[in-house]
Amino acid sequence: MSASPLTPRVSIRREDFDAGAEIVEITRGRTDIGAVVTFSGLCRDENQSLAALELEHYPGMAEAEISRIALEAAQRWPLLALTVIHRFGRILPGENIVLVVAASAHRQAAFDAASFLMDFLKARAPFWKKEHKREGAGGWVGARDSDAEAARRWT
Amino acid sequence: MSASPLTPRVSIRREDFDAGAEIVEITRGRTDIGAVVTFSGLCRDENQSLAALELEHYPGMAEAEISRIALEAAQRWPLLALTVIHRFGRILPGENIVLVVAASAHRQAAFDAASFLMDFLKARAPFWKKEHKREGAGGWVGARDSDAEAARRWT
Amino acid sequence: MRLIYFAWVRERIGAAEEEVELPTAVQTVRDLLGWLQTRGETYAEALRHPEVIRVAIDREHVDHGERIGAAKEIALFPPMTGG
Amino acid sequence: MRLIYFAWVRERIGAAEEEVELPTAVQTVRDLLGWLQTRGETYAEALRHPEVIRVAIDREHVDHGERIGAAKEIALFPPMTGG
């Protein structure tokens, strides 16, 4: 799969996204795509204690780093289209945070690429989550060892 | 993860589906879901030779078998919601065939469950594809050995 | 008992379904496939490679060694290609 | 050279960015972290566990052994928690 003609679409933004519209955007008018895997990451609040998440990011680097990860995915798997959207700013429980849409002729490449992208986004994309609690102090979310391990399994 | 309260939603139908609407349906009004993995399978036609796919199915068994596979996924992974839609009838190149939407608190369960479901759908759901070519004879699509192997890797 | 056929099994046999009375010697799915092959040229052609035929009894997949028992509906079809 | 800070590194240092002149002895990222710790209590507090601090030079991740060279912008931040 050398010289992939694919240019991943990467968007770092405050606004919400529409996963369905992004899938349509990727597949419209073409008949070579057999499989689309979409990952939506949402803001969780299991015990009704969270007022909001605040997502800080490194504006100059976030898009560049995610584009590097997306290009690496496009080199490792025969992807036909790839979209990554990551929000920043204030995000409420139940809202979208991140979207990956990976399209390929067959399902395994699409699954693997989407999973790879999420593992590397978690480990390498310059974003930091701060919790604002409904009552009491919130704080910065700690990095999970399991996320660093998840990224290592691809090397 | 015993006694999962999850009831998978399974729909076998002629009509198209809207992946984005299904994601919204699954996530609306709740804050316990952190990850949604969506698989869309589409009708491919790489060399412009296909007029249409005809999907035959076993009406009495298709929904029952997919429900069995979906319940097994819900027992193996801590899923919070699960939707499976499989179309039958005449399907044109570029159109949707199958949709899986798996939601969980964390991404790995959602990825694994969606991938498992697709592998088992391919191997066990009573559907058969017939190709109608633009010119010349079409015919029944042969089962791929790789699909049978894909299902075996989960056992 | 009702037999139903799908995809190229249906096309080769030339029928989507039929009611049959099984001989008492037909105890398993494998027996059934062998007996059907004796019912005429279309059956012999459709079931020439019985090892590739998949079978469901009352809408659940079974192996060829499965006993037919009190089955109401037995379906014969090629390997599935959905998804 | 511009230094920029994110998340709790920014909060503990009390600044989002600053321009600095590095002593010639500061050659690597590790040297930089050590030098910054001598610049006052907020820096010492923010960088007390330098091994957890992630660093990017000109918007690319680097290890602590990386040479600073002609870097224009060096960013210090905690392990990332996006996605």
Side-chain angles (χ1 to χ4, degrees), chain B residues 56 58 68 124 130 140, chain C residues 10-11 59 61 73 81 83:
Chain B
E56 181 169 336
Y58 183 174
R68 280 191 282 269
R124 299 183 59 93
K130 188 175 197 175
W140 294 98
Chain C
R10 173 179 54 71
E11 288 183 343
R59 305 175 179 186
H61 293 294
E73 177 176 292
T81 55

Side-chain angles (χ1 to χ4, degrees), chain B residues 9-91:
Chain B
R9 189 170 93 78
V10 174
S11 170
I12 312 298
R13 66 193 193 191
R14 194 177 288 279
E15 302 73 39
D16 196 9
F17 52 78
D18 176 342
E22 298 299 334
I23 297 172
V24 169
E25 180 70 26
I26 266 185
T27 54
R28 184 194 296 138
R30 49 197 297 184
T31 60
D32 53 343
I33 291 174
V36 181
V37 171
T38 306
F39 178 88
S40 313
L42 293 90
C43 174
R44 278 199 311 141
D45 173 29
E46 281 192 338
N47 45 17
Q48 261 76 58
S49 67
L50 188 70
L53 268 189
E54 187 185 324
L55 258 115
E56 181 169 336
H57 77 304
Y58 183 174
M61 179 174 169
E63 184 168 341
E65 184 64 23
I66 291 181
S67 295
R68 280 191 282 269
I69 299 168
L71 274 174
E72 187 173 337
Q75 278 159 1
R76 290 178 71 145
W77 291 280
L79 300 181
L80 294 168
L82 181 57
T83 295
V84 184
I85 301 176
H86 203 306
R87 295 180 66 194
F88 61 83
R90 190 175 175 85
I91 291 177

Side-chain angles (χ1 to χ4, degrees), chain A residues 118-137:
Chain A
M118 282 310 304
D119 286 347
F120 275 80
L121 276 182
K122 293 254 178 196
R124 298 183 60 93
F127 289 83
W128 301 272
K129 293 191 182 103
K130 189 175 196 174
E131 292 183 335
H132 295 281
K133 296 287 190 184
R134 290 189 185 196
E135 294 179 32

Side-chain angles (χ1 to χ4, degrees), chain A residues 101-124:
Chain A
V101 187
S104 186
H106 301 290
R107 70 188 184 284
Q108 200 55 54
F111 270 118
D112 288 347
S115 181
F116 168 92
L117 265 155
M118 282 310 304
D119 286 347
F120 275 80
L121 276 182
K122 293 254 178 196
R124 298 183 60 93

Side-chain angles (χ1 to χ4, degrees), chain D residues 1-36:
Chain D
M1 163 181 308
R2 193 154 80 129
L3 295 179
I4 57 182
Y5 311 118
F6 292 100
W8 54 253
V9 175
R10 172 178 55 70
E11 288 183 344
R12 289 178 194 172
I13 288 179
E17 58 178 88
E18 61 184 319
E19 293 288 330
V20 294
E21 294 271 345
L22 296 189
T24 50
V26 174
Q27 295 281 314
T28 67
V29 166
R30 193 169 288 111
D31 297 338
L32 172 66
L33 293 171
W35 176 70
L36 282 171

Side-chain angles (χ1 to χ4, degrees), chain A residues 17-36:
Chain A
F17 52 78
D18 175 344
E22 298 298 334
I23 296 172
V24 169
E25 180 71 26
I26 264 184
T27 54
R28 184 195 295 140
R30 50 196 299 184
T31 60
D32 53 343
I33 291 174
V36 180

